[in-house]
Amino acid sequence: MLQDIQNYDDPEIGKLVRQRHQRSKLLFDKGPPEALLGDYELSLEGLARSALMQQRFTSRRENIERCWTQAQLYLPELLTAPPQDVLEISTGHGAMLELLRHYGHNVMGTDYARTVWSSGAFSDAVKPDWPYRHVVESIDLPMTVFDGRLVPYPFANDSYDVVMCLQAIDHFGHPDDWMPLIDEYCRISRKTVLVLLTPPATPRRIGSGYEAAFRDFQLGLSRFRRSGFVCTGVFLHQEQPLGFKLSNK
């Protein structure tokens, strides 16, 4: 059943999931900006790359709607605040930054390049490549590409107002290794750090201590108080405490 929900193989399950997303989108009786709901303008290469992605992330409309819900729930102040500097760790398709840029904020994304690519058949220029490059380039988001598991990050102290990592920190190793990354986010941030966790997947629970370490990390975030930051918000996501907001005192 869980696999069916993830892939929407059953039309009826897909309908129920879309209805749930629609209810979340209209939670505050307002949808996301219409200007952001058109299709990604992709080259033939980009379309071929999209065919290899998880299909639920290939639709710009669905990506924006999903991030619109997250912004309303976890960062509503950014939908009305004066321009701020926002850094997202492991940007993926970039919809959150695209949304915040629409509201006037200065944004920067990050990702990890596993390979390189050439910018043209007759060009010697070689650039870092990452799975969502074609999508991020189609919406012209600024990016810094590096391995998010390794600190320090290539940013100065206090260089962004808001640093966020949304359902991506689980790609950076075991939960025992995550707290130094939170300290790094606090080093870079002037005001706010937002972390949204992904619930542990079943295979990770087998013989690794992952689930217990995950709970310890949740508890550590809920009691976080150092580097001038303190936990000011814990949010339920998928019926679990997975969202944590740290604020500079």
Side-chain angles (χ1 to χ4, degrees):
M1 177 63 75
L2 291 177
Q3 189 66 32
D4 288 343
I5 291 174
Q6 181 176 342
N7 293 332
Y8 301 169
D9 292 334
D10 186 321
E12 290 303 312
I13 291 175
K15 181 179 178 181
L16 290 172
V17 172
R18 286 191 294 273
Q19 288 175 344
R20 180 179 179 182
H21 287 172
Q22 181 73 7
R23 287 196 298 272
S24 298
K25 182 183 68 173
L26 298 179
L27 183 62
F28 300 104
D29 197 31
K30 180 182 179 182
E34 286 291 333
L36 304 181
L37 300 183
D39 294 334
Y40 294 120
E41 296 183 7
L42 301 176
S43 64
L44 291 177
E45 181 231 9
L47 291 171
R49 289 171 66 105
S50 282
L52 302 175
M53 293 164 46
Q54 293 187 56
Q55 292 305 293
R56 66 193 181 106
F57 295 133
T58 61
S59 166
R60 186 184 183 196
R61 173 181 286 272
E62 291 189 19
N63 290 339
I64 289 291
E65 289 178 349
R66 192 181 305 112
C67 289
W68 172 251
T69 298
Q70 291 178 338
Q72 290 180 100
L73 293 175
Y74 310 129
L75 290 166
E77 65 272 20
L78 292 186
L79 301 180
T80 57
Q84 298 191 45
D85 299 321
V86 180
L87 174 68
E88 183 176 20
I89 308 298
S90 196
T91 305
H93 48 67
M96 179 61 80
L97 293 186
E98 187 181 16
L99 178 65
L100 296 179
R101 182 176 62 182
H102 177 85
Y103 284 92
H105 301 294
N106 306 309
V107 300
M108 173 64 71
T110 80
D111 216 315
Y112 175 48
R114 295 175 176 82
T115 58
V116 296
W117 66 287
S118 175
S119 60
F122 303 102
S123 173
D124 294 329
V126 176
K127 303 179 181 180
D129 199 6
W130 66 96
Y132 290 93
R133 170 179 58 79
H134 61 297
V135 172
V136 167
E137 289 185 340
S138 76
I139 55 178
D140 195 28
L141 280 180
M143 290 287 293
T144 301
V145 182
F146 61 93
D147 189 342
R149 298 170 299 179
L150 305 177
V151 297
Y153 288 179
F155 303 108
N157 294 352
D158 305 323
S159 52
Y160 287 89
D161 295 302
V162 179
V163 176
M164 64 179 72
C165 184
L166 306 180
Q167 295 184 295
I169 201 169
D170 57 297
H171 297 296
F172 300 152
H174 195 274
D176 287 340
D177 302 323
W178 294 350
M179 198 57 77
L181 301 181
I182 300 299
D183 290 331
E184 184 70 356
Y185 303 164
C186 292
R187 178 187 70 80
I188 297 167
S189 175
R190 295 190 287 265
K191 297 179 181 178
T192 302
V193 171
L194 175 67
V195 178
L196 182 60
L197 306 177
T198 302
T202 300
R204 286 178 172 159
R205 298 178 181 178
I206 301 174
S208 68
Y210 190 100
E211 191 172 11
F214 187 90
R215 290 197 301 271
D216 287 344
F217 181 73
Q218 288 175 297
L219 185 61
L221 281 183
S222 70
R223 297 175 176 176
F224 193 92
R225 183 179 291 271
R226 61 175 181 264
S227 304
F229 282 81
V230 62
C231 182
T232 54
V234 178
F235 306 96
L236 288 179
H237 181 75
Q238 299 181 14
E239 289 73 50
Q240 299 184 51
L242 298 175
F244 298 85
K245 181 181 284 189
L246 311 178
S247 302
N248 194 326
K249 297 184 294 182

